[in-house]
Amino acid sequence: MLIDFAPSPARTRETRALPYAVAAIAFAGYAAWSLQRLRTFDASGFDLGIFEQAVRSYAHGHWPVSDLLGPGAPALGDHFHPILALLAPFYLLWPSPGCLLVAQALLFAVSAVPVTRCAVEVLGHRRGVVVGAGYVLSWGLLSAVNFDFHEVCFAVPMLAFTAEHLLRERWRAAVWCALPLVLVKEDLPLTLAAVGVVLVLNRQRRLGWTVVAFGVVTSAALFLVVLPALNPAGAYAHNGGFDPFGGAIVKVSMLLALPAPTAFAALRSPLLLLAVPTLAWRLVSANDRYWGMGYHYSAVLMPIVFLAGLHGARRVARLLPVCALVAGLASLALQAAHLTGGVWTPAQRAGIDAVLARIPDGATVLASNRLAPRLTSRRTVLFFDGVTASRPEWVVVAEPEQSWPTTLATKAAALAELEGTGYRRVDGTDSVVLLHRE
């Protein structure tokens, strides 16, 4: 099944540093991109603020809470991601949402090392580096970078190294790399089970079936027992129903876009089985956000697809680098269109920061989605959605507001009601309104 990696010793010495160079450039680009979004208020409370609140809780030795999900809401009742605790020491050194964004950039960049290393060994150093660049620019990773922070950033390098070990027939090393997936998100133990399936196909039956059983049982326990027990509603928070036949065009487009950067060579590799669990739950869900190419949902698929493509690349070895690079450049162009100066000018942003600085450290504040990441490191932040019953000491609302998740009219009415029922406007600009409870 697997690739015969047999590079010459000379070539190995010459190209040993190339994967790390690609990763270093990727890290610089991802980090700069993410911090620019934060600087221009393009980052949001949903989801960057939510994750910062969880990490901040861990950093201060508390059970992880995300008040943006609801006052005192347990973060582990929303998604099961205890691996976020690993960020706590770094957050203590840099208590900022930027800490999470830089960590995500690093994790995504590290995943480029095994992908580029395998590409160089299969295709030679020039074409291998081109494939590595195509991976770094792949639409699944760039769309994730362009949408805040998410726990799945930990899974991306895990899966990249897992897939590399499978290609090299390092069975136990592959399992050890995949095991921490159970701490990243509740659906990822099923991907661990898929690793077990690949092992079984390669006659590693005892180890493979053990991994399959462990992955399936763990995921079932998380969905059916752990998450309902931790969620105040007593149920899994994201059980939005099934719609396997909806959005056919969107789903087919996404499925075609996945192997396209590999000249569809990934379809020839059993390694692609690792993508099946993630694709399955996305395609049957009634949530249309899961169906397409946006957000962070495809990030975990990118290392699988690229390494599967290298496995199946014998007949299209010359075409694969071209497809990878063209797809990557197209992805970069599409995502870069969203990297703007934000909805406010530099002067307006400075005015917003001055208004936000009036809110004391440790205060509880009801805040708009775009403003929340500016506040979550030092205040208790609740989400202003126009329907909340919370009445904290401070309220800060952006102008213009976002129409999500309720209408602009609903939010305007809620702001007017606050001003008429005990809140006084104490500061503001043409971009922000600050209220204080009298």
Side-chain angles (χ1 to χ4, degrees):
M1 162 192 161
L2 304 181
I3 293 178
D4 180 19
F5 287 112
S8 67
R11 174 160 291 181
T12 299
R13 287 194 298 270
E14 291 171 1
T15 60
R16 188 175 298 164
L18 288 177
Y20 299 96
V22 170
I25 294 170
F27 170 64
Y30 291 156
W33 189 309
S34 300
L35 294 175
Q36 167 68 3
R37 293 188 71 254
L38 180 63
R39 186 181 69 84
T40 58
F41 290 89
D42 279 338
S44 55
F46 276 71
D47 293 321
L48 177 58
I50 290 172
F51 284 106
E52 187 191 2
Q53 288 179 330
V55 173
R56 182 186 177 193
S57 298
Y58 281 125
H60 291 92
H62 304 310
W63 182 258
V65 170
S66 291
D67 292 295
L68 284 163
L69 294 170
L76 291 176
D78 183 55
H79 286 299
F80 188 76
H81 40 47
I83 200 165
L84 292 178
L86 294 179
L87 296 178
F90 305 99
Y91 187 82
L92 286 173
L93 296 174
W94 183 19
S96 163
C99 177
L100 278 66
L101 296 174
V102 170
Q104 176 173 264
L106 179 61
L107 290 165
F108 282 168
V110 166
S111 73
V113 172
V115 173
T116 307
R117 181 162 53 213
C118 291
V120 167
E121 295 184 19
V122 173
L123 303 172
H125 67 281
R126 291 182 180 177
R127 287 187 291 175
V129 168
V130 170
V131 171
Y135 171 77
V136 166
L137 298 175
S138 60
W139 59 267
L141 293 182
L142 288 191
S143 61
V145 170
N146 211 26
F147 181 51
D148 292 356
F149 170 94
H150 296 89
E151 73 280 88
V152 296
C153 63
F154 285 94
V156 175
M158 290 179 194
L159 288 168
F161 284 102
T162 296
E164 181 187 25
H165 287 310
L166 290 173
L167 291 177
R168 298 182 188 276
E169 300 187 2
R170 298 170 181 166
W171 311 123
R172 293 187 181 278
V175 173
W176 283 116
C177 284
L179 271 177
L181 290 172
V182 303
L183 303 176
V184 178
K185 194 165 173 275
E186 59 275 6
D187 64 287
L188 287 171
L190 294 176
T191 301
L192 173 62
V195 172
V197 172
V198 174
L199 292 174
V200 171
L201 293 176
N202 282 274
R203 301 181 181 180
Q204 304 298 309
R205 293 183 178 87
R206 179 178 296 180
L207 178 61
W209 286 120
T210 300
V211 172
V212 170
F214 179 76
V216 171
V217 170
T218 301
S219 200
L222 291 177
F223 278 114
L224 301 176
V225 180
V226 176
L227 284 165
L230 295 175
N231 191 299
Y236 179 52
H238 300 278
N239 185 15
F242 295 90
D243 186 9
F245 304 108
I249 295 177
V250 176
K251 292 176 180 177
V252 170
S253 298
M254 184 269 290
L255 291 174
L256 290 174
L258 275 174
T262 69
F264 295 93
L267 299 175
R268 300 180 65 244
S269 172
L271 202 62
L272 201 58
L273 289 171
L274 302 187
V276 170
T278 296
L279 288 173
W281 69 257
R282 289 175 60 187
L283 294 177
V284 302
S285 173
N287 188 337
D288 58 3
R289 292 190 177 190
Y290 298 158
W291 302 343
M293 298 170 61
Y295 307 106
H296 57 289
Y297 301 114
S298 296
V300 297
L301 302 177
M302 293 297 106
I304 298 169
V305 168
F306 270 77
L307 286 163
L310 290 168
H311 179 209
R314 287 195 177 106
R315 295 183 181 179
V316 292
R318 294 184 179 276
L319 187 59
L320 193 153
V322 176
C323 288
L325 184 60
V326 170
L329 292 174
S331 170
L332 178 62
L334 289 172
Q335 295 298 329
H338 300 288
L339 186 63
T340 66
V343 298
W344 296 299
T345 66
Q348 288 174 317
R349 293 198 297 268
I352 294 172
D353 282 330
V355 171
L356 297 181
R358 292 198 56 180
I359 303 173
D361 290 355
T364 300
V365 54
L366 196 64
S368 294
N369 191 38
R370 288 194 188 101
L371 305 180
R374 282 291 209 276
L375 300 165
T376 43
S377 61
R378 295 181 180 273
R379 291 95 172 175
T380 298
V381 183
L382 308 174
F383 183 45
F384 176 76
D385 59 2
V387 295
T388 181
S390 301
R391 292 180 63 84
E393 185 179 2
W394 298 90
V395 178
V396 61
V397 179
E399 294 187 343
E401 249 290 358
Q402 292 176 305
S403 57
W404 177 88
T406 53
T407 65
L408 294 176
T410 298
K411 291 187 176 183
L415 183 63
E417 181 181 356
L418 287 169
E419 291 192 79
T421 56
Y423 283 86
R424 178 172 60 89
R425 187 176 299 212
V426 294
D427 203 348
T429 68
D430 61 344
S431 307
V432 64
V433 172
L434 178 65
L435 306 181
H436 184 258
R437 194 178 62 212
E438 296 179 329

